[in-house]
Amino acid sequence: MLSVNQIWHDVKQIRNTAPLVHNITNYVVMNTTANALLSIGASPVMAHAVEEVEDMTSIAGALVINIGTLSPRWIDAMSLAMKTAKQRGIPIVFDPVGAGATKYRTNTCNNLLSETAPSIIRGNASEIMSLLDANIATRGVDSSHSADSAVDAAKELAKSFNCVVSVSGEVDLITGGDEIVKINNGHPMMPKVTGLGCTATAITGAFAAVNKSLSNAAANAMAVMGICGEIAAEKSNGTGTLQLNMLDAFYNLNEEHISEYLK
Amino acid sequence: MLSVNQIWHDVKQIRNTAPLVHNITNYVVMNTTANALLSIGASPVMAHAVEEVEDMTSIAGALVINIGTLSPRWIDAMSLAMKTAKQRGIPIVFDPVGAGATKYRTNTCNNLLSETAPSIIRGNASEIMSLLDANIATRGVDSSHSADSAVDAAKELAKSFNCVVSVSGEVDLITGGDEIVKINNGHPMMPKVTGLGCTATAITGAFAAVNKSLSNAAANAMAVMGICGEIAAEKSNGTGTLQLNMLDAFYNLNEEHISEYLK
Amino acid sequence: MLSVNQIWHDVKQIRNTAPLVHNITNYVVMNTTANALLSIGASPVMAHAVEEVEDMTSIAGALVINIGTLSPRWIDAMSLAMKTAKQRGIPIVFDPVGAGATKYRTNTCNNLLSETAPSIIRGNASEIMSLLDANIATRGVDSSHSADSAVDAAKELAKSFNCVVSVSGEVDLITGGDEIVKINNGHPMMPKVTGLGCTATAITGAFAAVNKSLSNAAANAMAVMGICGEIAAEKSNGTGTLQLNMLDAFYNLNEEHISEYLK
């Protein structure tokens, strides 16, 4: 399902149309994900006030919801933004950051998802598994499980919400409930940079804004993440420079890079 | 009105006096603008609690208000801080981030500005125009208009509030209501880094803290932004490294750079 | 008290056990401190909702409290998290950012500390002194005093709360109330990067999670901060690149570096 042509087509579409991606996300990664979206060619906006999220979501090409530093008022805004997006046919990408680490996170995810089914759920293995099984524990915001161990949970979750599930890990998995697409790109240093999971979610939003096939959008986004991570790692001396070089890689990404690096 | 001597004089003043710049700004750029202020030689502080903004503003050399991720309690704090600054003669720089994108942003700006006229309003063309015409739409936080198209709005706004208006764009415009100063420095990659508009606003705060001529302060700040952007772009491979190299450029800025790069 | 062996032992322990460090910290530095903790080998999590801090603190190896951008609800969460950590024997590192700059900050610190004595208090000289003397003024979040002038205050504070006090400055001081350990590493460019004080606090949390001697943990953390700052400064052209090169230095730190740089 992964094709150089299709990935590159999406990237060009993002650059040509600069889709507005409305993010209600966590404090830790806001700068990183805004820069990633700008670097790939999208137009990010962060807005979380209940007073304005309907207006902001309504003009967006995609809505990205990320519960990384949640609190009650923000959850209200997420709920409202998700309903607005659903009514208007705007794709919703949902990242259950830290689901499984506290009951509050797991319950919040379950409540939001039961109100409004998202288009794509994107998380690490522990987070995805914890949405189905309250006994799965996430260690803070880092996964305690390999992506492979989340295959069944991802499929079941995708079927439950009639959505696409995208699981990041050494190998990334994308499923719409039946077949699994695997993505083998990426670099071991990536989990040591904060917010690259959240960046994957934001970038997935940009792809969902330009590609009507949600599973292709999710897969192409993860391929671009992995490829840019590899390109960046080659130029980096550690996790600090990796973060910045990834933005450069998004900005400079061309068809040859995709063709050369896609596994 | 732009002079190498005057720009350099202001930079030296900032470095020698390290003015405290009190920022009530958005979550996305806090780190970036704090680092920019430190790099140029100022002393940034971020404080947004209604319980402390009067105390914090009172010891500051300038107040920077930026509505990028606004919510009701933050607006209360902005209102109180602006009143405090006004009473004490502390310059206020106001950035209407995303005005025109949602009614909430436009209304908040209008309310805050009608309560307390700022010293300098600094935004992109769409934001500036939307403060005068509710029909102007801003696309999230990115301008849909060129700075040139905002000339009339900038002059009218400056006259309404008896303040200086600073509009960023390919060419930056600064006006006190009558004459227009244009700044031709800058680099096309700059809008692809999040928060460089907000950084321009913060840096304008530092200049306003040391230069009693608000129009000169605004113009000198934008010249330094553009010059440092050009210096940084020469050393950068993309938007990621540009962000960091700009901080280096602020830190290393000397009279020769200004003389060489000022257009 | 400082030994290459012991510092390196702690670093290896952090890398081998990846302790979960729960941070309730300020908006400005969240990304920076999360990246620093990941780079040194720990697992950071940021969570501030009253609804979840008990759960999150309970699974952590250390709790880091930093009041840099405080507001009432966050203070409630800090209070609850500190009580939870105390009950469970989880070390608490407390950073009184900007204490002395506003009454609200000073009072908040005094209230939180009187409720729950922390394991380590880590701040700059003005902040430490202001906790004992309400007449000491901090200039925003930057110290107006040298670390040396805080020796008596640090000792008294350590005795009052039966804790360790770690004061950053040109020379860092660590005391449990009687003897003083001095750390001479560091670089003059470090105070020009926002959040390196907060990073020192977060890193101290990681060391406290693996070393039962709180004074050794505090001293080893500050030594690593200073050493990595020096390594990073050698490769940096200014404050922007310093921030990223420090993360690389944490990530690449080995025994030879410690041995070569420790003063």
Side-chain angles (χ1 to χ4, degrees):
Chain A
M1 209 162 90
L2 280 173
S3 108
V4 173
N5 273 351
Q6 284 193 20
I7 296 170
W8 178 234
H9 181 265
D10 280 4
V11 173
K12 281 189 299 184
Q13 279 293 104
I14 292 169
R15 291 188 183 154
N16 290 337
T17 62
L20 186 68
V21 180
H22 176 199
N23 301 270
I24 307 180
T25 187
N26 71 71
Y27 301 122
V28 184
V29 306
M30 281 189 189
N31 188 269
T32 310
T33 63
N35 270 323
L37 286 166
L38 280 169
S39 297
I40 197 74
S43 177
V45 69
M46 313 279 158
H48 67 282
V50 170
E51 289 81 359
E52 71 167 343
V53 292
E54 287 174 286
D55 281 0
M56 199 62 95
T57 299
S58 298
I59 60 170
L63 173 67
V64 172
I65 299 291
N66 173 311
I67 66 152
T69 53
L70 76 181
S71 61
R73 286 292 281 171
W74 285 65
I75 297 168
D76 293 345
M78 291 174 186
S79 168
L80 187 55
M82 288 171 77
K83 286 173 189 162
T84 305
K86 196 73 172 185
Q87 281 164 7
R88 294 174 176 259
I90 296 164
I92 303 165
V93 185
F94 184 86
D95 190 335
V97 179
T102 67
K103 271 179 241 139
Y104 187 54
R105 292 186 184 227
T106 312
N107 292 344
T108 296
C109 289
N110 290 335
N111 292 339
L112 288 173
L113 294 176
S114 67
E115 278 180 9
T116 308
S119 315
I120 301 171
I121 300 175
R122 217 223 54 77
N124 67 37
S126 298
E127 290 160 352
I128 296 300
M129 292 162 79
S130 75
L131 294 182
L132 284 172
D133 178 352
N135 295 316
I136 293 289
T138 302
R139 198 160 170 279
V141 294
D142 293 326
S143 187
S144 333
H145 302 83
S146 71
D148 259 348
S149 59
V151 166
D152 291 341
K155 285 184 177 177
E156 195 179 329
L157 203 60
K159 284 178 182 161
S160 296
F161 292 107
N162 192 25
C163 71
V164 169
V165 173
S166 170
V167 189
S168 52
E170 260 188 67
V171 175
D172 304 317
L173 306 175
I174 287 96
T175 183
D178 296 313
E179 62 171 325
I180 290 271
V181 177
K182 295 193 178 191
I183 294 166
N184 294 294
N185 285 97
H187 190 276
M189 206 154 55
M190 292 172 73
K192 293 290 182 189
V193 178
T194 197
L196 286 196
C198 304
T199 299
T201 305
I203 292 288
T204 300
F207 280 77
V210 300
N211 189 332
K212 284 185 181 171
S213 159
L214 295 171
S215 53
N216 285 349
N220 293 347
M222 294 309 291
V224 163
M225 280 298 297
I227 289 167
C228 290
E230 290 180 37
I231 292 172
E234 286 171 14
K235 302 186 178 172
S236 300
N237 299 313
T239 48
T241 42
L242 180 65
Q243 185 179 20
L244 273 284
N245 288 332
M246 271 208 72
L247 299 176
D248 284 2
F250 287 134
Y251 183 73
N252 294 312
L253 185 68
N254 60 35
E255 193 171 8
E256 288 67 41
H257 294 145
I258 301 171
S259 174
E260 183 185 341
Y261 284 86
L262 185 66
K263 280 172 189 160
Chain B
M1 208 163 91
L2 281 173
S3 109
V4 173
N5 273 350
Q6 285 194 19
I7 296 170
W8 178 235
H9 180 265
D10 281 4
V11 172
K12 280 188 298 184
Q13 281 292 103
I14 292 169
R15 290 188 182 153
N16 290 337
T17 62
L20 186 68
V21 179
H22 177 198
N23 301 269
I24 307 181
T25 188
N26 71 72
Y27 301 121
V28 185
V29 306
M30 282 189 188
N31 189 270
T32 310
T33 63
N35 270 323
L37 286 167
L38 280 168
S39 296
I40 196 74
S43 177
V45 69
M46 313 280 159
H48 67 282
V50 170
E51 288 81 0
E52 72 168 341
V53 292
E54 286 174 286
D55 281 359
M56 198 62 94
T57 299
S58 298
I59 60 170
L63 173 67
V64 172
I65 299 291
N66 173 313
I67 66 151
T69 52
L70 76 181
S71 61
R73 286 293 281 172
W74 285 65
I75 297 169
D76 292 345
M78 290 174 186
S79 168
L80 187 55
M82 286 171 77
K83 286 173 188 162
T84 305
K86 196 74 175 183
Q87 281 164 7
R88 292 174 177 260
I90 296 165
I92 303 165
V93 185
F94 184 86
D95 191 335
V97 179
T102 66
K103 272 180 238 138
Y104 187 54
R105 291 185 184 228
T106 311
N107 292 343
T108 295
C109 289
N110 289 335
N111 292 339
L112 289 173
L113 294 175
S114 68
E115 278 180 10
T116 308
S119 315
I120 301 171
I121 301 176
R122 216 223 54 76
N124 67 38
S126 299
E127 290 160 353
I128 296 300
M129 292 162 79
S130 75
L131 294 182
L132 283 172
D133 179 352
N135 295 316
I136 293 289
T138 302
R139 200 160 169 279
V141 295
D142 293 326
S143 187
S144 332
H145 302 84
S146 71
D148 259 347
S149 60
V151 167
D152 291 342
K155 285 185 176 177
E156 196 180 328
L157 202 61
K159 284 177 182 162
S160 296
F161 293 107
N162 193 25
C163 72
V164 169
V165 174
S166 170
V167 189
S168 53
E170 261 189 64
V171 175
D172 305 316
L173 305 175
I174 288 96
T175 183
D178 296 314
E179 62 170 324
I180 291 271
V181 177
K182 295 192 178 191
I183 293 165
N184 295 294
N185 285 98
H187 191 275
M189 206 154 55
M190 291 172 73
K192 295 289 183 188
V193 178
T194 198
L196 286 197
C198 305
T199 300
T201 305
I203 292 288
T204 299
F207 280 77
V210 299
N211 189 332
K212 283 186 180 169
S213 159
L214 294 171
S215 52
N216 286 349
N220 293 348
M222 293 310 290
V224 163
M225 280 298 297
I227 289 167
C228 290
E230 290 179 37
I231 293 172
E234 286 171 14
K235 301 186 178 171
S236 300
N237 298 314
T239 47
T241 42
L242 181 64
Q243 186 179 19
L244 274 284
N245 288 332
M246 271 208 72
L247 299 176
D248 285 1
F250 287 134
Y251 183 73
N252 295 312
L253 185 68
N254 61 33
E255 193 171 8
E256 288 67 41
H257 294 144
I258 301 170
S259 174
E260 185 186 340
Y261 283 87
L262 185 66
K263 281 173 187 158
Chain C
M1 208 162 94
L2 281 173
S3 108
V4 173
N5 273 351
Q6 284 194 20
I7 296 170
W8 179 235
H9 180 265
D10 281 4
V11 173
K12 281 189 297 185
Q13 280 292 103
I14 292 169
R15 291 186 183 155
N16 290 337
T17 62
L20 186 68
V21 180
H22 177 199
N23 301 269
I24 306 181
T25 188
N26 70 71
Y27 301 121
V28 185
V29 306
M30 281 188 188
N31 188 270
T32 310
T33 62
N35 270 323
L37 286 166
L38 279 169
S39 296
I40 196 75
S43 177
V45 70
M46 312 281 159
H48 67 283
V50 169
E51 288 81 0
E52 72 167 341
V53 292
E54 287 173 286
D55 281 359
M56 198 62 93
T57 300
S58 298
I59 59 170
L63 173 67
V64 172
I65 299 290
N66 173 312
I67 66 152
T69 52
L70 76 180
S71 61
R73 287 292 283 170
W74 285 65
I75 297 168
D76 293 345
M78 291 173 185
S79 167
L80 187 55
M82 287 172 76
K83 286 173 189 163
T84 305
K86 196 74 173 183
Q87 281 164 8
R88 293 174 176 259
I90 296 164
I92 303 165
V93 184
F94 184 87
D95 190 334
V97 179
T102 67
K103 272 179 241 142
Y104 187 53
R105 291 186 185 228
T106 312
N107 292 343
T108 296
C109 289
N110 289 334
N111 291 340
L112 288 172
L113 294 176
S114 68
E115 278 180 9
T116 308
S119 315
I120 301 171
I121 300 175
R122 216 222 54 76
N124 66 39
S126 298
E127 290 160 352
I128 296 301
M129 292 163 79
S130 75
L131 294 182
L132 283 172
D133 179 351
N135 295 317
I136 292 290
T138 302
R139 200 161 169 279
V141 294
D142 293 326
S143 187
S144 333
H145 302 84
S146 72
D148 259 347
S149 60
V151 166
D152 291 342
K155 286 184 176 177
E156 197 180 327
L157 202 60
K159 284 177 182 161
S160 296
F161 292 107
N162 193 26
C163 72
V164 169
V165 174
S166 170
V167 189
S168 53
E170 261 187 64
V171 175
D172 305 316
L173 306 175
I174 287 96
T175 182
D178 295 314
E179 63 171 324
I180 291 272
V181 178
K182 295 193 178 191
I183 293 165
N184 295 294
N185 285 96
H187 190 277
M189 206 155 53
M190 291 171 72
K192 294 289 183 189
V193 178
T194 197
L196 286 196
C198 305
T199 299
T201 305
I203 292 288
T204 300
F207 280 78
V210 300
N211 189 332
K212 282 184 183 172
S213 159
L214 294 171
S215 53
N216 286 350
N220 293 348
M222 294 310 290
V224 163
M225 280 298 297
I227 289 167
C228 290
E230 290 180 37
I231 293 172
E234 286 171 13
K235 302 186 179 173
S236 300
N237 299 313
T239 46
T241 41
L242 181 65
Q243 185 179 19
L244 273 285
N245 288 332
M246 272 208 71
L247 298 176
D248 284 2
F250 287 135
Y251 183 72
N252 294 312
L253 185 68
N254 61 35
E255 193 171 8
E256 288 67 41
H257 294 145
I258 301 170
S259 174
E260 183 185 341
Y261 284 87
L262 185 66
K263 280 173 189 159

